[in-house]
Amino acid sequence: MVEFLLPGLNPDVNQSKIIFIRSLKIKEKHMKEEKIISFGEYLDRVKKDPQIVTTAHQLIYNAIMKKGVEKVFGELYGIDSVIEEVVDYFGKASLGGGRSKRFLFLLGPPSSGKSTIARAIAWAIDDEPIYCIEGCPIRDQPIYLLKRRDRLALAKELGIYLPEGDICPVCRKRLKTEFDYDYTKFKVKIDKISVRSFNGFASVDPTDPMSFDKARLIGSVTLGEKEGNPDNFELDGAILRGNRGALELVEILKNLTEALYVLIEATQSKTIESPAGRTEKIYVDLAIISHSNEAEWVKFYSDKKNEALLDRMHVINVPHNIRLDDQIRVLKGMSIATPRQSLNYHVNPLSLKLVAAFTVMTRLQIGGETDADEALARMLAYNGLIAEGSDATPATLMKQYPRDGWQGISNRDGAEILEMSLSMKQSDKEMCIDPISVLDAIDKFISQDTNKKFSVKEKANWPPLATILKKDFAREAAKQFCTIAEESTQLCTDTFEKYLEAIRNLLNRVELNDQQKDLVTYVENGWRDKSDDEKNDKRSDISRHIHSFTEASEDMKTGVYNYINSTVIIDVISRLLLSEQELTSLDKQNDWLNLDQFVKEKFEKLNYCPKCLRRVAHWLKDNQKFP
């Protein structure tokens, strides 16, 4: 066993050696799993389980179905219809029809999830077993060794479809020189797809179109050697590395179009030219997953010379997510860079909601300040909150606004706003992404000069969106504070009795103190347009007929709630943040102090930390944002 390589190991002393031992064990395990069987045994297995002979599209579709769509694409939110189209593509392509002769092309704005979809597919097939010819540099299907007539006979016997295809030039030479045309002498290897090792998977990044070499896709020939000899072929091109699995073409349209013509034959006839360019074709079986942004697509699509490539594409649109709840989930899953790389920071739920809402609203078709309210309503409608009396649905809205999701800021921009809200001045103990800092960060993001990628017209729509978000945030945050007053029954009762005492003093021409004046102003907020005589008439009526808080009108109750929030609750919150020494010096007989624990428990349930609780409370009070 590998343990004897390092005798006397003490795990408590040298952890690096433990890691080394474990890596050797893993390697030893994989070596044991790499089984080599005879071709005859392979055929017996095929007869018992024909599913071991799978095309690349079948392999991917089966892997997605086995692991579950939600698990495979679990990091993607708000683009459910896109995921359905992707799965449907592989489902139909696995049947071997016309869909399998087109490569997948994901089209959408930057950071909409195209690369994530491609990599999710790749990781779905990672570690999936495949049967291949032992010694074949491109992992050919062993079934290709059968002559076509024998393959057809076996397919008829088993009542299944066996893929067409042929062995590569290297295996063909071995068949002639090493095995004297006896294909049964070939061995079969049970291999596995490996994304990290680029075994059955490959990825091609965009390069300068003028320097793109087709050899990156099909391989090359050893210099100075006879080009027609397969032994001199470097079968390491991306298409050949991805054979039996998948090939990802990143930002495909940024490459020279002529260099991509190899994809036409790779999808239509499942062949590519050999690196020598003069000998036989090489059969390939792989799923090609490409993606690009809209700007390159518009240019590519308008060029008539690209019709052949367009005909080989199966295009799926991948717009930005425009569902608020899903965008919050996206932001939760993104990595946020923090000052001093601290991992201990708090994120208020309203902070995430603000950034998510701003992100989504920038992605909607709007035409100016008057559309900001409508954009907010549309965002909520996409999230399932349809306004009363409206017959709009997400489906009808998408038809009415087809560009929704094709513009606006990316998920990366949203993460940048969250990062901007974390001040370098914050101490490690109070690192917090609070809603007020987020509002400031949104304003800063709008005004900064680094947003060159957005048009002046598009950016002009953002300030009204930020304004409407501040108003909406104020309403929601104020409601959270107001519920404290509503749940403080005794405090509401006592406060209303103080109001009744104050209006009796007014009716008796007794001067009010400042606290009483504030109380009357809050409770009678809806009477601002009335004359003093009209106000006194109402006060007289209230004094005679209303004797308790429960009998008060809803407007008056709201006034009481607002008064409590703006004076009592804010004061209690301030006291909660005082040190123990400062707190003991306060008047213990103050009735408001018995609210301390109640307020603290209430906001802890809402996931407030002391810092964001303080900032939100004082912002609401300073800006008079209580409803």
PDB file of all heavy atoms in Angstrom, residues 307-341:
ATOM      1  N   GLU A 307     -23.824  32.435 -44.113  1.00  0.00           N
ATOM      2  CA  GLU A 307     -25.075  31.665 -44.153  1.00  0.00           C
ATOM      3  C   GLU A 307     -24.852  30.194 -43.831  1.00  0.00           C
ATOM      4  O   GLU A 307     -25.683  29.555 -43.177  1.00  0.00           O
ATOM      5  CB  GLU A 307     -25.741  31.831 -45.517  1.00  0.00           C
ATOM      6  CG  GLU A 307     -26.340  33.210 -45.733  1.00  0.00           C
ATOM      7  CD  GLU A 307     -27.020  33.343 -47.084  1.00  0.00           C
ATOM      8  OE1 GLU A 307     -26.779  32.465 -47.952  1.00  0.00           O
ATOM      9  OE2 GLU A 307     -27.779  34.302 -47.286  1.00  0.00           O
ATOM     10  N   ALA A 308     -23.743  29.629 -44.319  1.00  0.00           N
ATOM     11  CA  ALA A 308     -23.483  28.208 -44.067  1.00  0.00           C
ATOM     12  C   ALA A 308     -23.296  27.941 -42.580  1.00  0.00           C
ATOM     13  O   ALA A 308     -23.826  26.957 -42.037  1.00  0.00           O
ATOM     14  CB  ALA A 308     -22.249  27.753 -44.852  1.00  0.00           C
ATOM     15  N   LEU A 309     -22.542  28.824 -41.906  1.00  0.00           N
ATOM     16  CA  LEU A 309     -22.356  28.659 -40.457  1.00  0.00           C
ATOM     17  C   LEU A 309     -23.653  28.881 -39.702  1.00  0.00           C
ATOM     18  O   LEU A 309     -23.963  28.161 -38.753  1.00  0.00           O
ATOM     19  CB  LEU A 309     -21.293  29.631 -39.960  1.00  0.00           C
ATOM     20  CG  LEU A 309     -19.856  29.108 -39.878  1.00  0.00           C
ATOM     21  CD1 LEU A 309     -18.898  30.235 -39.524  1.00  0.00           C
ATOM     22  CD2 LEU A 309     -19.736  27.976 -38.865  1.00  0.00           C
ATOM     23  N   LEU A 310     -24.414  29.873 -40.131  1.00  0.00           N
ATOM     24  CA  LEU A 310     -25.697  30.152 -39.478  1.00  0.00           C
ATOM     25  C   LEU A 310     -26.616  28.949 -39.561  1.00  0.00           C
ATOM     26  O   LEU A 310     -27.377  28.666 -38.627  1.00  0.00           O
ATOM     27  CB  LEU A 310     -26.367  31.367 -40.126  1.00  0.00           C
ATOM     28  CG  LEU A 310     -25.764  32.739 -39.768  1.00  0.00           C
ATOM     29  CD1 LEU A 310     -26.308  33.810 -40.703  1.00  0.00           C
ATOM     30  CD2 LEU A 310     -26.100  33.087 -38.327  1.00  0.00           C
ATOM     31  N   ASP A 311     -26.544  28.234 -40.686  1.00  0.00           N
ATOM     32  CA  ASP A 311     -27.407  27.072 -40.881  1.00  0.00           C
ATOM     33  C   ASP A 311     -27.031  25.927 -39.949  1.00  0.00           C
ATOM     34  O   ASP A 311     -27.842  25.042 -39.706  1.00  0.00           O
ATOM     35  CB  ASP A 311     -27.327  26.609 -42.338  1.00  0.00           C
ATOM     36  CG  ASP A 311     -28.332  25.522 -42.649  1.00  0.00           C
ATOM     37  OD1 ASP A 311     -29.541  25.753 -42.428  1.00  0.00           O
ATOM     38  OD2 ASP A 311     -27.914  24.426 -43.091  1.00  0.00           O
ATOM     39  N   ARG A 312     -25.799  25.934 -39.438  1.00  0.00           N
ATOM     40  CA  ARG A 312     -25.353  24.856 -38.542  1.00  0.00           C
ATOM     41  C   ARG A 312     -25.546  25.216 -37.078  1.00  0.00           C
ATOM     42  O   ARG A 312     -25.192  24.449 -36.205  1.00  0.00           O
ATOM     43  CB  ARG A 312     -23.861  24.554 -38.776  1.00  0.00           C
ATOM     44  CG  ARG A 312     -23.500  24.131 -40.193  1.00  0.00           C
ATOM     45  CD  ARG A 312     -24.276  22.908 -40.678  1.00  0.00           C
ATOM     46  NE  ARG A 312     -23.749  22.383 -41.914  1.00  0.00           N
ATOM     47  CZ  ARG A 312     -24.040  22.842 -43.115  1.00  0.00           C
ATOM     48  NH1 ARG A 312     -24.865  23.875 -43.246  1.00  0.00           N
ATOM     49  NH2 ARG A 312     -23.525  22.285 -44.192  1.00  0.00           N
ATOM     50  N   MET A 313     -26.089  26.416 -36.805  1.00  0.00           N
ATOM     51  CA  MET A 313     -26.255  26.863 -35.424  1.00  0.00           C
ATOM     52  C   MET A 313     -27.663  26.602 -34.907  1.00  0.00           C
ATOM     53  O   MET A 313     -28.633  26.793 -35.634  1.00  0.00           O
ATOM     54  CB  MET A 313     -25.975  28.367 -35.306  1.00  0.00           C
ATOM     55  CG  MET A 313     -24.557  28.788 -35.545  1.00  0.00           C
ATOM     56  SD  MET A 313     -24.431  30.605 -35.424  1.00  0.00           S
ATOM     57  CE  MET A 313     -22.657  30.829 -35.514  1.00  0.00           C
ATOM     58  N   HIS A 314     -27.746  26.183 -33.669  1.00  0.00           N
ATOM     59  CA  HIS A 314     -29.034  26.162 -32.973  1.00  0.00           C
ATOM     60  C   HIS A 314     -28.949  27.269 -31.927  1.00  0.00           C
ATOM     61  O   HIS A 314     -28.289  27.120 -30.889  1.00  0.00           O
ATOM     62  CB  HIS A 314     -29.281  24.816 -32.306  1.00  0.00           C
ATOM     63  CG  HIS A 314     -30.594  24.763 -31.573  1.00  0.00           C
ATOM     64  ND1 HIS A 314     -31.793  24.536 -32.216  1.00  0.00           N
ATOM     65  CD2 HIS A 314     -30.889  24.928 -30.257  1.00  0.00           C
ATOM     66  CE1 HIS A 314     -32.776  24.557 -31.322  1.00  0.00           C
ATOM     67  NE2 HIS A 314     -32.248  24.800 -30.132  1.00  0.00           N
ATOM     68  N   VAL A 315     -29.597  28.393 -32.212  1.00  0.00           N
ATOM     69  CA  VAL A 315     -29.454  29.593 -31.393  1.00  0.00           C
ATOM     70  C   VAL A 315     -30.463  29.589 -30.244  1.00  0.00           C
ATOM     71  O   VAL A 315     -31.661  29.385 -30.448  1.00  0.00           O
ATOM     72  CB  VAL A 315     -29.640  30.871 -32.239  1.00  0.00           C
ATOM     73  CG1 VAL A 315     -29.450  32.115 -31.375  1.00  0.00           C
ATOM     74  CG2 VAL A 315     -28.670  30.870 -33.415  1.00  0.00           C
ATOM     75  N   ILE A 316     -29.967  29.824 -29.038  1.00  0.00           N
ATOM     76  CA  ILE A 316     -30.815  29.995 -27.856  1.00  0.00           C
ATOM     77  C   ILE A 316     -30.468  31.339 -27.222  1.00  0.00           C
ATOM     78  O   ILE A 316     -29.310  31.600 -26.895  1.00  0.00           O
ATOM     79  CB  ILE A 316     -30.607  28.859 -26.833  1.00  0.00           C
ATOM     80  CG1 ILE A 316     -31.082  27.518 -27.415  1.00  0.00           C
ATOM     81  CG2 ILE A 316     -31.364  29.159 -25.533  1.00  0.00           C
ATOM     82  CD1 ILE A 316     -30.900  26.341 -26.472  1.00  0.00           C
ATOM     83  N   ASN A 317     -31.458  32.186 -27.081  1.00  0.00           N
ATOM     84  CA  ASN A 317     -31.256  33.496 -26.468  1.00  0.00           C
ATOM     85  C   ASN A 317     -31.119  33.364 -24.950  1.00  0.00           C
ATOM     86  O   ASN A 317     -31.919  32.681 -24.307  1.00  0.00           O
ATOM     87  CB  ASN A 317     -32.420  34.428 -26.794  1.00  0.00           C
ATOM     88  CG  ASN A 317     -32.454  34.817 -28.258  1.00  0.00           C
ATOM     89  OD1 ASN A 317     -31.428  34.877 -28.916  1.00  0.00           O
ATOM     90  ND2 ASN A 317     -33.636  35.090 -28.781  1.00  0.00           N
ATOM     91  N   VAL A 318     -30.107  34.045 -24.409  1.00  0.00           N
ATOM     92  CA  VAL A 318     -29.864  34.020 -22.959  1.00  0.00           C
ATOM     93  C   VAL A 318     -29.836  35.467 -22.455  1.00  0.00           C
ATOM     94  O   VAL A 318     -28.770  36.047 -22.244  1.00  0.00           O
ATOM     95  CB  VAL A 318     -28.539  33.316 -22.615  1.00  0.00           C
ATOM     96  CG1 VAL A 318     -28.419  33.126 -21.102  1.00  0.00           C
ATOM     97  CG2 VAL A 318     -28.439  31.977 -23.326  1.00  0.00           C
ATOM     98  N   PRO A 319     -31.008  36.076 -22.268  1.00  0.00           N
ATOM     99  CA  PRO A 319     -31.030  37.455 -21.754  1.00  0.00           C
ATOM    100  C   PRO A 319     -30.709  37.485 -20.264  1.00  0.00           C
ATOM    101  O   PRO A 319     -30.649  36.447 -19.603  1.00  0.00           O
ATOM    102  CB  PRO A 319     -32.473  37.892 -22.020  1.00  0.00           C
ATOM    103  CG  PRO A 319     -33.264  36.617 -21.956  1.00  0.00           C
ATOM    104  CD  PRO A 319     -32.364  35.546 -22.510  1.00  0.00           C
ATOM    105  N   HIS A 320     -30.515  38.701 -19.748  1.00  0.00           N
ATOM    106  CA  HIS A 320     -30.326  38.855 -18.304  1.00  0.00           C
ATOM    107  C   HIS A 320     -31.582  38.395 -17.553  1.00  0.00           C
ATOM    108  O   HIS A 320     -32.704  38.496 -18.066  1.00  0.00           O
ATOM    109  CB  HIS A 320     -30.095  40.330 -17.946  1.00  0.00           C
ATOM    110  CG  HIS A 320     -28.715  40.819 -18.251  1.00  0.00           C
ATOM    111  ND1 HIS A 320     -27.575  40.218 -17.780  1.00  0.00           N
ATOM    112  CD2 HIS A 320     -28.289  41.900 -18.975  1.00  0.00           C
ATOM    113  CE1 HIS A 320     -26.520  40.885 -18.189  1.00  0.00           C
ATOM    114  NE2 HIS A 320     -26.913  41.905 -18.914  1.00  0.00           N
ATOM    115  N   ASN A 321     -31.371  37.935 -16.337  1.00  0.00           N
ATOM    116  CA  ASN A 321     -32.493  37.647 -15.450  1.00  0.00           C
ATOM    117  C   ASN A 321     -33.230  38.944 -15.110  1.00  0.00           C
ATOM    118  O   ASN A 321     -32.616  39.973 -14.858  1.00  0.00           O
ATOM    119  CB  ASN A 321     -31.977  36.998 -14.169  1.00  0.00           C
ATOM    120  CG  ASN A 321     -33.015  37.031 -13.059  1.00  0.00           C
ATOM    121  OD1 ASN A 321     -34.119  36.537 -13.222  1.00  0.00           O
ATOM    122  ND2 ASN A 321     -32.659  37.652 -11.940  1.00  0.00           N
ATOM    123  N   ILE A 322     -34.555  38.908 -15.118  1.00  0.00           N
ATOM    124  CA  ILE A 322     -35.347  40.089 -14.753  1.00  0.00           C
ATOM    125  C   ILE A 322     -36.347  39.779 -13.635  1.00  0.00           C
ATOM    126  O   ILE A 322     -37.304  40.518 -13.438  1.00  0.00           O
ATOM    127  CB  ILE A 322     -36.081  40.676 -15.984  1.00  0.00           C
ATOM    128  CG1 ILE A 322     -36.883  39.596 -16.727  1.00  0.00           C
ATOM    129  CG2 ILE A 322     -35.114  41.366 -16.920  1.00  0.00           C
ATOM    130  CD1 ILE A 322     -37.695  40.132 -17.889  1.00  0.00           C
ATOM    131  N   ARG A 323     -36.095  38.692 -12.905  1.00  0.00           N
ATOM    132  CA  ARG A 323     -36.908  38.379 -11.730  1.00  0.00           C
ATOM    133  C   ARG A 323     -36.154  38.818 -10.480  1.00  0.00           C
ATOM    134  O   ARG A 323     -35.011  38.424 -10.253  1.00  0.00           O
ATOM    135  CB  ARG A 323     -37.221  36.886 -11.651  1.00  0.00           C
ATOM    136  CG  ARG A 323     -38.376  36.446 -12.527  1.00  0.00           C
ATOM    137  CD  ARG A 323     -38.622  34.939 -12.381  1.00  0.00           C
ATOM    138  NE  ARG A 323     -38.710  34.544 -10.985  1.00  0.00           N
ATOM    139  CZ  ARG A 323     -39.813  34.598 -10.244  1.00  0.00           C
ATOM    140  NH1 ARG A 323     -40.933  35.045 -10.781  1.00  0.00           N
ATOM    141  NH2 ARG A 323     -39.808  34.202  -8.993  1.00  0.00           N
ATOM    142  N   LEU A 324     -36.797  39.652  -9.679  1.00  0.00           N
ATOM    143  CA  LEU A 324     -36.160  40.240  -8.509  1.00  0.00           C
ATOM    144  C   LEU A 324     -35.658  39.181  -7.529  1.00  0.00           C
ATOM    145  O   LEU A 324     -34.506  39.226  -7.081  1.00  0.00           O
ATOM    146  CB  LEU A 324     -37.136  41.195  -7.814  1.00  0.00           C
ATOM    147  CG  LEU A 324     -36.631  41.867  -6.534  1.00  0.00           C
ATOM    148  CD1 LEU A 324     -35.398  42.715  -6.817  1.00  0.00           C
ATOM    149  CD2 LEU A 324     -37.734  42.707  -5.901  1.00  0.00           C
ATOM    150  N   ASP A 325     -36.509  38.231  -7.155  1.00  0.00           N
ATOM    151  CA  ASP A 325     -36.113  37.210  -6.177  1.00  0.00           C
ATOM    152  C   ASP A 325     -34.906  36.415  -6.659  1.00  0.00           C
ATOM    153  O   ASP A 325     -33.999  36.095  -5.873  1.00  0.00           O
ATOM    154  CB  ASP A 325     -37.277  36.266  -5.886  1.00  0.00           C
ATOM    155  CG  ASP A 325     -38.377  36.921  -5.066  1.00  0.00           C
ATOM    156  OD1 ASP A 325     -38.119  38.006  -4.505  1.00  0.00           O
ATOM    157  OD2 ASP A 325     -39.490  36.367  -5.001  1.00  0.00           O
ATOM    158  N   ASP A 326     -34.906  36.092  -7.946  1.00  0.00           N
ATOM    159  CA  ASP A 326     -33.778  35.326  -8.493  1.00  0.00           C
ATOM    160  C   ASP A 326     -32.504  36.168  -8.531  1.00  0.00           C
ATOM    161  O   ASP A 326     -31.400  35.643  -8.341  1.00  0.00           O
ATOM    162  CB  ASP A 326     -34.115  34.812  -9.892  1.00  0.00           C
ATOM    163  CG  ASP A 326     -35.139  33.690  -9.863  1.00  0.00           C
ATOM    164  OD1 ASP A 326     -35.093  32.887  -8.924  1.00  0.00           O
ATOM    165  OD2 ASP A 326     -35.992  33.622 -10.761  1.00  0.00           O
ATOM    166  N   GLN A 327     -32.640  37.467  -8.784  1.00  0.00           N
ATOM    167  CA  GLN A 327     -31.465  38.325  -8.803  1.00  0.00           C
ATOM    168  C   GLN A 327     -30.857  38.441  -7.407  1.00  0.00           C
ATOM    169  O   GLN A 327     -29.632  38.526  -7.263  1.00  0.00           O
ATOM    170  CB  GLN A 327     -31.832  39.715  -9.331  1.00  0.00           C
ATOM    171  CG  GLN A 327     -30.629  40.600  -9.651  1.00  0.00           C
ATOM    172  CD  GLN A 327     -29.733  39.989 -10.710  1.00  0.00           C
ATOM    173  OE1 GLN A 327     -30.199  39.297 -11.612  1.00  0.00           O
ATOM    174  NE2 GLN A 327     -28.438  40.239 -10.608  1.00  0.00           N
ATOM    175  N   ILE A 328     -31.688  38.438  -6.391  1.00  0.00           N
ATOM    176  CA  ILE A 328     -31.181  38.428  -5.013  1.00  0.00           C
ATOM    177  C   ILE A 328     -30.368  37.159  -4.771  1.00  0.00           C
ATOM    178  O   ILE A 328     -29.287  37.195  -4.164  1.00  0.00           O
ATOM    179  CB  ILE A 328     -32.347  38.535  -4.003  1.00  0.00           C
ATOM    180  CG1 ILE A 328     -33.017  39.909  -4.101  1.00  0.00           C
ATOM    181  CG2 ILE A 328     -31.858  38.287  -2.582  1.00  0.00           C
ATOM    182  CD1 ILE A 328     -34.269  40.050  -3.260  1.00  0.00           C
ATOM    183  N   ARG A 329     -30.862  36.052  -5.262  1.00  0.00           N
ATOM    184  CA  ARG A 329     -30.140  34.779  -5.109  1.00  0.00           C
ATOM    185  C   ARG A 329     -28.813  34.808  -5.863  1.00  0.00           C
ATOM    186  O   ARG A 329     -27.809  34.266  -5.400  1.00  0.00           O
ATOM    187  CB  ARG A 329     -31.009  33.628  -5.603  1.00  0.00           C
ATOM    188  CG  ARG A 329     -32.272  33.419  -4.783  1.00  0.00           C
ATOM    189  CD  ARG A 329     -33.219  32.452  -5.457  1.00  0.00           C
ATOM    190  NE  ARG A 329     -32.746  31.086  -5.426  1.00  0.00           N
ATOM    191  CZ  ARG A 329     -33.323  30.084  -6.081  1.00  0.00           C
ATOM    192  NH1 ARG A 329     -34.402  30.318  -6.825  1.00  0.00           N
ATOM    193  NH2 ARG A 329     -32.847  28.872  -6.001  1.00  0.00           N
ATOM    194  N   VAL A 330     -28.813  35.438  -7.032  1.00  0.00           N
ATOM    195  CA  VAL A 330     -27.571  35.567  -7.802  1.00  0.00           C
ATOM    196  C   VAL A 330     -26.532  36.351  -7.004  1.00  0.00           C
ATOM    197  O   VAL A 330     -25.371  35.941  -6.891  1.00  0.00           O
ATOM    198  CB  VAL A 330     -27.835  36.272  -9.157  1.00  0.00           C
ATOM    199  CG1 VAL A 330     -26.524  36.647  -9.833  1.00  0.00           C
ATOM    200  CG2 VAL A 330     -28.647  35.377 -10.086  1.00  0.00           C
ATOM    201  N   LEU A 331     -26.950  37.493  -6.444  1.00  0.00           N
ATOM    202  CA  LEU A 331     -26.020  38.334  -5.686  1.00  0.00           C
ATOM    203  C   LEU A 331     -25.523  37.623  -4.427  1.00  0.00           C
ATOM    204  O   LEU A 331     -24.365  37.782  -4.032  1.00  0.00           O
ATOM    205  CB  LEU A 331     -26.698  39.654  -5.307  1.00  0.00           C
ATOM    206  CG  LEU A 331     -26.980  40.611  -6.478  1.00  0.00           C
ATOM    207  CD1 LEU A 331     -27.811  41.791  -6.007  1.00  0.00           C
ATOM    208  CD2 LEU A 331     -25.682  41.086  -7.112  1.00  0.00           C
ATOM    209  N   LYS A 332     -26.386  36.852  -3.795  1.00  0.00           N
ATOM    210  CA  LYS A 332     -25.964  36.098  -2.606  1.00  0.00           C
ATOM    211  C   LYS A 332     -24.836  35.135  -2.935  1.00  0.00           C
ATOM    212  O   LYS A 332     -23.951  34.895  -2.113  1.00  0.00           O
ATOM    213  CB  LYS A 332     -27.146  35.311  -2.035  1.00  0.00           C
ATOM    214  CG  LYS A 332     -28.092  36.119  -1.170  1.00  0.00           C
ATOM    215  CD  LYS A 332     -29.176  35.221  -0.589  1.00  0.00           C
ATOM    216  CE  LYS A 332     -30.121  35.983   0.326  1.00  0.00           C
ATOM    217  NZ  LYS A 332     -31.175  35.094   0.860  1.00  0.00           N
ATOM    218  N   GLY A 333     -24.884  34.580  -4.133  1.00  0.00           N
ATOM    219  CA  GLY A 333     -23.891  33.577  -4.505  1.00  0.00           C
ATOM    220  C   GLY A 333     -22.608  34.138  -5.080  1.00  0.00           C
ATOM    221  O   GLY A 333     -21.660  33.388  -5.329  1.00  0.00           O
ATOM    222  N   MET A 334     -22.551  35.470  -5.280  1.00  0.00           N
ATOM    223  CA  MET A 334     -21.358  36.059  -5.884  1.00  0.00           C
ATOM    224  C   MET A 334     -20.332  36.405  -4.814  1.00  0.00           C
ATOM    225  O   MET A 334     -20.660  36.732  -3.678  1.00  0.00           O
ATOM    226  CB  MET A 334     -21.726  37.311  -6.690  1.00  0.00           C
ATOM    227  CG  MET A 334     -22.638  37.021  -7.867  1.00  0.00           C
ATOM    228  SD  MET A 334     -22.779  38.388  -9.025  1.00  0.00           S
ATOM    229  CE  MET A 334     -21.173  38.331  -9.821  1.00  0.00           C
ATOM    230  N   SER A 335     -19.066  36.336  -5.211  1.00  0.00           N
ATOM    231  CA  SER A 335     -17.971  36.653  -4.294  1.00  0.00           C
ATOM    232  C   SER A 335     -17.807  38.161  -4.212  1.00  0.00           C
ATOM    233  O   SER A 335     -17.723  38.842  -5.234  1.00  0.00           O
ATOM    234  CB  SER A 335     -16.672  36.009  -4.798  1.00  0.00           C
ATOM    235  OG  SER A 335     -15.591  36.369  -3.988  1.00  0.00           O
ATOM    236  N   ILE A 336     -17.769  38.686  -2.983  1.00  0.00           N
ATOM    237  CA  ILE A 336     -17.623  40.116  -2.755  1.00  0.00           C
ATOM    238  C   ILE A 336     -16.230  40.406  -2.190  1.00  0.00           C
ATOM    239  O   ILE A 336     -15.837  39.836  -1.169  1.00  0.00           O
ATOM    240  CB  ILE A 336     -18.690  40.635  -1.774  1.00  0.00           C
ATOM    241  CG1 ILE A 336     -20.106  40.252  -2.257  1.00  0.00           C
ATOM    242  CG2 ILE A 336     -18.570  42.142  -1.600  1.00  0.00           C
ATOM    243  CD1 ILE A 336     -20.478  40.846  -3.585  1.00  0.00           C
ATOM    244  N   ALA A 337     -15.483  41.265  -2.871  1.00  0.00           N
ATOM    245  CA  ALA A 337     -14.174  41.668  -2.366  1.00  0.00           C
ATOM    246  C   ALA A 337     -14.366  42.697  -1.260  1.00  0.00           C
ATOM    247  O   ALA A 337     -15.091  43.679  -1.436  1.00  0.00           O
ATOM    248  CB  ALA A 337     -13.324  42.269  -3.490  1.00  0.00           C
ATOM    249  N   THR A 338     -13.738  42.471  -0.119  1.00  0.00           N
ATOM    250  CA  THR A 338     -13.924  43.355   1.031  1.00  0.00           C
ATOM    251  C   THR A 338     -12.598  44.005   1.412  1.00  0.00           C
ATOM    252  O   THR A 338     -11.527  43.463   1.127  1.00  0.00           O
ATOM    253  CB  THR A 338     -14.454  42.573   2.248  1.00  0.00           C
ATOM    254  OG1 THR A 338     -13.453  41.639   2.671  1.00  0.00           O
ATOM    255  CG2 THR A 338     -15.724  41.826   1.899  1.00  0.00           C
ATOM    256  N   PRO A 339     -12.647  45.181   2.052  1.00  0.00           N
ATOM    257  CA  PRO A 339     -11.411  45.790   2.555  1.00  0.00           C
ATOM    258  C   PRO A 339     -10.696  44.829   3.501  1.00  0.00           C
ATOM    259  O   PRO A 339     -11.328  44.177   4.320  1.00  0.00           O
ATOM    260  CB  PRO A 339     -11.915  47.032   3.305  1.00  0.00           C
ATOM    261  CG  PRO A 339     -13.249  47.333   2.705  1.00  0.00           C
ATOM    262  CD  PRO A 339     -13.834  46.003   2.334  1.00  0.00           C
ATOM    263  N   ARG A 340      -9.400  44.719   3.342  1.00  0.00           N
ATOM    264  CA  ARG A 340      -8.577  43.834   4.181  1.00  0.00           C
ATOM    265  C   ARG A 340      -8.982  42.374   4.020  1.00  0.00           C
ATOM    266  O   ARG A 340      -8.637  41.534   4.826  1.00  0.00           O
ATOM    267  CB  ARG A 340      -8.644  44.254   5.657  1.00  0.00           C
ATOM    268  CG  ARG A 340      -8.174  45.684   5.882  1.00  0.00           C
ATOM    269  CD  ARG A 340      -8.386  46.105   7.322  1.00  0.00           C
ATOM    270  NE  ARG A 340      -9.791  46.167   7.699  1.00  0.00           N
ATOM    271  CZ  ARG A 340     -10.593  47.189   7.383  1.00  0.00           C
ATOM    272  NH1 ARG A 340     -10.128  48.195   6.667  1.00  0.00           N
ATOM    273  NH2 ARG A 340     -11.846  47.212   7.756  1.00  0.00           N
ATOM    274  N   GLN A 341      -9.752  42.084   2.947  1.00  0.00           N
ATOM    275  CA  GLN A 341     -10.187  40.709   2.674  1.00  0.00           C
ATOM    276  C   GLN A 341     -10.832  40.043   3.878  1.00  0.00           C
ATOM    277  O   GLN A 341     -10.648  38.860   4.153  1.00  0.00           O
ATOM    278  CB  GLN A 341      -9.000  39.859   2.178  1.00  0.00           C
ATOM    279  CG  GLN A 341      -8.497  40.283   0.810  1.00  0.00           C
ATOM    280  CD  GLN A 341      -9.577  40.218  -0.256  1.00  0.00           C
ATOM    281  OE1 GLN A 341     -10.231  39.196  -0.441  1.00  0.00           O
ATOM    282  NE2 GLN A 341      -9.775  41.313  -0.968  1.00  0.00           N
TER     283      GLN A 341
END
